[in-house]
Amino acid sequence: MKPSPAPQQPSPAAPFIESDLEAIEAAHLRRAAYDRPLRGILLVIASTIFLASSDTMAKYLAVRLPAIEIGWLRYVVFVLIMAPGVIAAHPRKALRTDHALAQIVRGATLVGSSLLFVTALRFLPIAEATTTSFVSPIFVTVLSIIFLSERVGMRRWLATLTGLIGVIIVVRPGTSAFHPAALLAVSSALCWACSLVVTRNIAGRDPSVTTMAWSALVGFVALSVLSPFVWITPTWTEVAIGAGIGIAATSGHWLVVLAYRWGDASALAPFSYTQAIWATLFGYLVFGDVPDAWTFVGAAVIVASGLYTAHRERMRRAALVPRMARQSS
């Protein structure tokens, strides 16, 4: 949603640790004069409204259009929004990277996450799908150990297991309330976690515009290849809604970027869970979906797990920065 203290000898995660810490220290210096946590919190909450709106529109289209086609409409808008920035930076320079494979994997996992989630929305209430997707920190913890050589303490493992219990409460496998589409939402969270781990692995090595440009390009190309096989000619209304999905999703993610300029991640991250509130509200207003009590109980357990994980991350980063400063002096 992290690397352990750097050992005396370089490790596979060392390049990320160093670049990440440099970014943290630079961010603290930039914020020293104008830290505005309230502004950051409001931007995060606004971002969740846009993201929940995007999911609501996607669920509406999923009744008639394939997830691949909905994803393609979204990525067309994504490419159009990214194009001015890429052109301003010069296309060849914006796409230049020494980590092409990692960028492709990141783009592919983002596409996979989007397609799986939209497919899940066709069968699940928005609130349930959104709550289930909050399992991604669990996958990030496990994947970080495997691919980033991170160390996870007992308390973070307990928080991870608690989050898993929350997901089980929401999904309730083996009962009449279980729907197989819940596995799609979980798989979407796994793909999202993979993209986060790859993002952290290349953090500080490629400019943000390069990472965003590769994400847009990989998604657009992949979905352009797949779309003809499932294409259903959309109405102009559906095209407009598809464009709205792209605008809302891109706006939501951009607001998150802006928010983290005004406050620390540990202070802002908990407010991302307000997306479940908007998802519940929009699901009720548009589709008449009312989550049952167990969904709220599971959501509370998952959120508690995520909040504790964010707290532990804050403590870890607070200890890492001075340690790295001493080692470099």
Side-chain angles (χ1 to χ4, degrees):
M1 147 112 1
K2 289 268 173 62
S4 57
Q8 295 298 322
Q9 298 298 324
S11 70
F16 163 73
I17 294 174
E18 294 170 0
S19 62
D20 193 36
L21 287 172
E22 290 173 0
I24 295 170
E25 292 172 330
H28 280 305
L29 290 175
R30 288 195 301 270
R31 284 197 206 107
Y34 54 88
D35 187 23
R36 299 290 188 276
L38 179 59
R39 183 176 299 182
I41 290 170
L42 293 176
L43 286 170
V44 168
I45 294 175
S47 75
T48 64
I49 298 175
F50 278 98
L51 294 174
S53 299
S54 173
D55 292 342
T56 302
M57 289 184 282
K59 180 175 176 64
Y60 182 84
L61 288 186
V63 175
R64 199 180 86 88
L65 299 182
I68 291 175
E69 187 172 342
I70 296 172
W72 182 82
L73 291 171
R74 173 182 174 177
Y75 269 86
V76 167
V77 176
F78 189 11
V79 168
L80 292 176
I81 292 176
M82 282 299 304
V86 172
I87 293 173
H90 196 284
R92 183 175 296 179
K93 181 179 179 181
L95 293 173
R96 183 181 302 149
T97 177
D98 294 327
H99 314 285
L101 179 59
Q103 293 287 6
I104 291 173
V105 170
R106 181 182 184 277
T109 52
L110 286 174
V111 171
S113 177
S114 177
L115 294 182
L116 289 166
F117 190 76
V118 171
T119 304
L121 285 174
R122 183 172 185 174
F123 305 100
L124 298 176
I126 300 175
E128 183 176 333
T130 300
T131 301
T132 304
S133 70
F134 288 154
V135 72
S136 58
I138 298 174
F139 292 128
V140 170
T141 298
V142 176
L143 292 173
S144 296
I145 295 173
I146 298 173
F147 296 106
L148 299 181
S149 301
E150 295 184 7
R151 298 175 184 174
V152 177
M154 179 60 68
R155 283 178 287 190
R156 279 188 63 186
W157 273 122
L158 290 176
T160 297
L161 293 175
T162 301
L164 181 59
I165 292 172
V167 173
I168 293 174
I169 293 174
V170 174
V171 175
R172 279 160 286 169
T175 70
S176 59
F178 174 73
H179 195 294
L183 298 178
L184 295 175
V186 173
S187 298
S188 171
L190 175 58
C191 287
W192 176 253
C194 290
S195 72
L196 290 178
V197 171
V198 174
T199 301
R200 288 169 50 190
N201 191 43
I202 61 176
R205 303 181 188 183
D206 285 334
S208 297
V209 66
T210 299
T211 298
M212 293 290 288
W214 272 87
S215 297
L217 183 62
V218 170
F220 177 73
V221 171
L223 293 172
S224 295
V225 172
L226 296 174
S227 290
F229 296 100
V230 297
W231 186 262
I232 296 176
T233 302
T235 64
W236 285 111
T237 299
E238 290 169 339
V239 171
I241 294 175
I245 293 172
I247 294 171
T250 304
S251 299
H253 288 296
W254 180 242
L255 285 172
V256 172
V257 173
L258 294 178
Y260 281 81
R261 294 181 180 179
W262 297 101
D264 291 329
S266 57
L268 301 183
F271 293 92
S272 64
Y273 289 112
T274 57
Q275 184 173 342
I277 299 175
W278 308 118
T280 301
L281 177 61
F282 295 158
Y284 173 73
L285 294 176
V286 178
F287 306 104
D289 294 333
V290 180
D292 60 21
W294 286 112
T295 299
F296 288 110
V297 171
V301 173
I302 295 171
V303 170
S305 169
L307 292 178
Y308 182 76
T309 300
H311 169 68
R312 294 300 303 171
E313 178 62 16
R314 180 180 184 179
M315 295 179 62
R316 187 195 65 80
R317 285 182 181 273
L320 256 180
V321 172
R323 183 181 294 113
M324 289 296 294
R326 289 195 301 268
Q327 290 181 355
S328 61
S329 62

